[in-house]
Amino acid sequence: MNIIIIYTSMTGTTEQMANTIAAEFMKAGKNVVIKDSIEAQAAELISYDMILIGSYTWGDGELPDELVDFYDELRSTDLTGKIVAIFGAGDSTYPHFATAVDILEETAKGQGGRILIDGLKTDRESEDILTSSCRLYSKKLIEALELAWIH
């Protein structure tokens, strides 16, 4: 199984999430490619069985500028048959907590992507808690993935 993880990060938190998730998938024997969203094109997603996208939320619940070009391409990319998972860092002191995760999930579903488990939203956790949350999310996702392939 080939997996791609696309992420955008301002403070390094979402990048840390992407790297932790990638490490867990590699431990499970999966092939993983990881890219910053600025270097990624949505058209390349069709080459992968599973797509993970990570983003922080900007301003009043918007996608960050670094993700806009990729997102625009994503909205016209057929993801039918692809398993998609979304993750992102947020801050619950803002009225729109980690809405980039919601936006990306809805878009992926709209393009035919299959969401196995709800996206991971983190809330200004310490590095240890963030790593633990990402490991647990990865394990749940790997279990759901194995069940999906069996059925």
Side-chain angles (χ1 to χ4, degrees):
M1 164 168 280
N2 291 320
I3 299 168
I4 188 165
I5 300 175
I6 308 289
Y7 72 91
T8 189
S9 189
M10 182 170 60
T11 63
T13 302
T14 310
E15 182 177 13
Q16 179 186 344
M17 294 173 75
N19 288 327
T20 302
I21 291 167
E24 291 301 311
F25 273 91
M26 286 187 268
K27 281 185 206 171
K30 312 294 184 201
N31 297 320
V32 180
V33 171
I34 186 167
K35 285 188 170 188
D36 188 297
S37 64
I38 293 173
E39 301 167 356
Q41 294 182 336
E44 69 187 293
L45 300 180
I46 60 172
S47 302
Y48 294 89
D49 304 305
M50 182 174 193
I51 301 154
L52 288 95
I53 305 171
S55 178
Y56 65 94
T57 300
W58 183 251
D60 291 325
E62 297 127 29
L63 295 175
D65 288 344
E66 307 93 303
L67 193 65
V68 171
D69 289 342
F70 176 81
Y71 179 73
D72 287 343
E73 293 174 14
L74 182 66
R75 292 187 311 166
S76 61
T77 302
D78 184 4
L79 300 178
T80 303
K82 305 297 180 189
I83 295 173
V84 182
I86 311 296
F87 61 94
D91 183 340
S92 62
T93 63
Y94 289 92
H96 303 281
F97 173 65
T99 55
V101 172
D102 303 325
I103 293 167
L104 291 165
E105 275 188 352
E106 287 306 310
T107 301
K109 286 179 198 173
Q111 295 309 114
R114 184 173 171 201
I115 306 285
L116 298 179
I117 64 173
D118 290 339
L120 173 62
K121 296 179 178 183
T122 61
D123 187 12
R124 301 178 302 141
E125 283 98 355
S126 69
E127 191 171 321
D128 289 344
I129 293 172
L130 182 72
T131 299
S132 179
S133 295
C134 290
R135 285 182 177 150
L136 180 59
Y137 178 73
S138 299
K139 288 176 183 167
K140 287 180 182 178
L141 194 50
I142 290 165
E143 288 173 10
L145 188 60
E146 289 171 359
L147 287 173
W149 283 107
I150 291 168
H151 295 85

